[in-house]
Amino acid sequence: MVRFLKIFVVFLNLVIVFFAQGQSGTTIKVKAMTKSSAALQVGAAQFDLYLADLKTKKVGMVVNQTSMVGNSHLVDTLVQLGVPVKRIFSPEHGFRGTADAGEKVKDAPDVKTGIPIVSLYGAKRKPGKEDLAGLDVLIFDIQDIGVRYYTFVATLHNVMESCAENGLTLLILDRPNPNGHFVDGSILDMAYKSFVGMHPVPVVHGLTIGEYAQMINGEGWLAGGIQCKLQVIPCSGYTHQTPYVLPVKPSPNIPNNRAIYLYPSICLFEGTVASVGRGTDKQFQVYGAPGSTFGDFTFVPEPKVGAMDPFQKGKTCRGFDLTTRQTEDIRKEAKVNLSYIIDYYRNFPKIDSFFLANKFIDKLAGGKTLREQIIAGKSEEEIRKTWEPGLSKFKKKRKKYLLYP
């Protein structure tokens, strides 16, 4: 009886107060939000839209440390509510979100529930037929930050493709995009397709995971144009202009919303000799390089959880500390700020060695053009003008897939 009451209380606390409206296909879309809309709720919290159906199915879950409903992880909550969760699939950084960027993660059972975990950032990046065997539905519930070179979108693509190939439904429990209030940056040249750039979208695409999944389907981006059977449980009380402070770090080196807002601009330095603060407590909020004479801030990257072998480890890096900037001011800029990398390049003492020899900058930027423009001395304004034709086309395309105003 006590257990039943606990479950009932959890359920009552998470019942939606803003109802979603079914649209065409299997995707659920939200009604237009107004000022009188209910408080924001993530898709996972709206159990009455999906819980009853799950209890009769064998479930797999693509989740990580961000898959929380209140103070409880979604896996633990669903298991407690009687959902037969058979398998967990984890993206980059692992199920608990502590692995280094780029670190391969091994398969292992979850220490708390004993449910097998299949790593999608280790020996494989895509679930195989054997991984999905016996499952009826796959749930995707991961907090993204709305930037092309954040790898959770690549995992989404691979999971959708596997579901389409194996006849499974993918249930996406949507979450807000903290960078969903703007669209900016160069469009990916598909000749530079990689795990940090899978689709012809700009650096900041302005889509939630649910909206992005619909675009993947709608634009035929899966192999051979196959379609994933998709269902999206949207957020309630959310618009693309709604500020959202993430309750959990989306990855080990994105510690707060300032880092989230700076990430589209500062991550470009990862294609250069400059550190972006991995191995410090100001990840993606500082930048600097050994040998630089430009800037009034110095830091030394050291091994830390999530960055055990940080770039430029043990070396004094000189550059700039952006934690002095107000987080809301950065959000209001609503753009990929190229001034950081352009100014730092122009003032770097060994300009010929500024960009890494592996040209990783080209994968991040979505082509070689940005690197060539910076080397040629183009201004930020000149570079931004070259983005406009692609951005205009993308924004028109994006409208077809929006679930929120």
Side-chain angles (χ1 to χ4, degrees):
M1 182 65 179
V2 173
R3 182 173 180 273
F4 173 80
L5 286 174
K6 286 182 178 179
I7 293 173
F8 185 70
V9 169
V10 169
F11 184 79
L12 281 180
N13 286 336
L14 294 168
V15 168
I16 64 166
V17 290
F18 186 91
F19 291 97
Q21 174 180 339
Q23 301 289 335
S24 59
T26 57
T27 300
I28 298 175
K29 295 187 178 182
V30 295
K31 294 178 180 178
M33 303 296 177
T34 67
K35 290 184 179 179
S36 60
S37 293
L40 192 156
Q41 284 192 314
V42 299
Q46 301 178 70
F47 289 109
D48 58 345
L49 290 180
Y50 68 93
L51 181 62
D53 191 47
L54 292 181
K55 288 186 176 182
T56 61
K57 295 180 179 177
K58 296 176 181 176
V59 176
M61 300 182 68
V62 187
V63 286
N64 66 1
Q65 79 285 352
T66 67
S67 311
M68 301 291 290
V69 181
N71 295 321
S72 178
H73 196 282
L74 182 62
V75 169
D76 300 329
T77 300
L78 293 185
V79 169
Q80 184 181 19
L81 293 174
V83 174
V85 179
K86 301 298 183 182
R87 218 156 293 143
I88 295 168
F89 297 84
S90 65
E92 185 179 10
H93 307 298
F95 178 47
R96 299 297 175 186
T98 56
D100 284 12
E103 178 185 345
K104 290 188 175 181
V105 180
K106 296 180 180 180
D107 295 353
D110 175 35
V111 294
K112 185 173 182 179
T113 63
I115 298 170
I117 300 174
V118 177
S119 172
L120 299 181
Y121 204 85
K124 64 182 71 175
R125 299 283 176 91
K126 176 180 173 181
K129 184 176 182 179
E130 67 284 0
D131 299 317
L132 301 177
L135 299 180
D136 301 310
V137 62
L138 210 54
I139 296 173
F140 192 102
D141 180 30
I142 291 177
Q143 177 66 60
D144 190 49
I145 64 171
V147 182
R148 188 180 66 217
Y149 28 73
Y150 209 60
T151 63
F152 297 154
V153 162
T155 297
L156 172 68
H157 174 106
N158 289 343
V159 167
M160 287 180 66
E161 202 163 83
S162 291
C163 284
E165 291 167 348
N166 293 278
L168 264 69
T169 295
L170 181 64
L171 173 63
I172 294 181
L173 305 178
D174 213 8
R175 291 179 180 265
N177 175 0
N179 281 313
H181 56 293
F182 72 108
V183 176
D184 199 28
S186 55
I187 305 294
L188 174 74
D189 177 347
M190 290 300 283
Y192 291 83
K193 179 181 177 180
S194 72
F195 207 67
V196 292
M198 293 282 282
H199 310 112
V201 302
V203 172
V204 182
H205 49 71
L207 298 164
T208 66
I209 281 287
E211 292 171 328
Y212 202 113
Q214 293 197 135
M215 179 175 273
I216 291 174
N217 251 0
E219 297 302 313
W221 288 340
L222 299 180
I226 56 176
Q227 295 285 296
C228 173
K229 187 178 179 183
L230 190 65
Q231 183 182 3
V232 179
I233 304 299
C235 306
S236 68
Y238 172 72
T239 80
H240 281 281
Q241 296 302 316
T242 304
Y244 183 62
V245 177
L246 271 61
V248 179
K249 291 194 298 185
S251 55
N253 290 288
I254 302 291
N256 52 41
N257 269 49
R258 182 187 292 107
I260 287 169
Y261 298 146
L262 286 169
Y263 184 81
S265 308
I266 301 304
C267 190
L268 292 170
F269 279 106
E270 299 225 274
T272 77
V273 294
S275 164
V276 294
R278 294 182 189 271
T280 75
D281 292 324
K282 297 182 177 183
Q283 310 97 311
F284 289 98
Q285 300 161 89
V286 299
Y287 59 93
S292 172
T293 57
F294 185 50
D296 57 5
F297 179 72
T298 60
F299 61 94
V300 180
E302 300 290 354
K304 296 176 72 69
V305 173
M308 296 308 296
D309 188 23
F311 187 56
Q312 304 294 16
K313 180 175 67 174
K315 299 178 182 179
T316 299
C317 300
R318 178 172 293 276
F320 294 88
D321 180 5
L322 301 180
T323 63
T324 58
R325 295 198 60 191
Q326 293 297 313
T327 300
E328 185 56 28
D329 290 342
I330 301 169
R331 183 180 187 274
K332 287 178 180 177
E333 278 187 350
K335 71 173 186 176
V336 177
N337 191 332
L338 293 176
S339 67
Y340 303 126
I341 192 168
I342 289 174
D343 292 346
Y344 203 71
Y345 171 81
R346 290 176 179 174
N347 288 278
F348 196 69
K350 296 181 180 179
I351 205 165
D352 291 339
S353 61
F354 181 74
F355 292 109
L356 297 178
N358 63 8
K359 294 189 172 129
F360 185 57
I361 184 68
D362 295 355
K363 286 187 177 181
L364 293 171
K368 64 180 181 177
T369 304
L370 178 61
R371 174 175 52 83
E372 292 176 343
Q373 289 171 326
I374 293 173
I375 291 172
K378 299 290 185 182
S379 68
E380 179 173 13
E381 183 180 3
E382 289 173 315
I383 294 172
R384 295 186 66 83
K385 283 181 180 178
T386 66
W387 295 349
E388 279 311 311
L391 283 173
S392 294
K393 290 180 181 178
F394 175 79
K395 287 175 182 177
K396 290 179 182 178
K397 184 185 297 182
R398 171 179 173 268
K399 287 181 180 179
K400 297 186 293 182
Y401 305 106
L402 295 181
L403 298 174
Y404 315 95

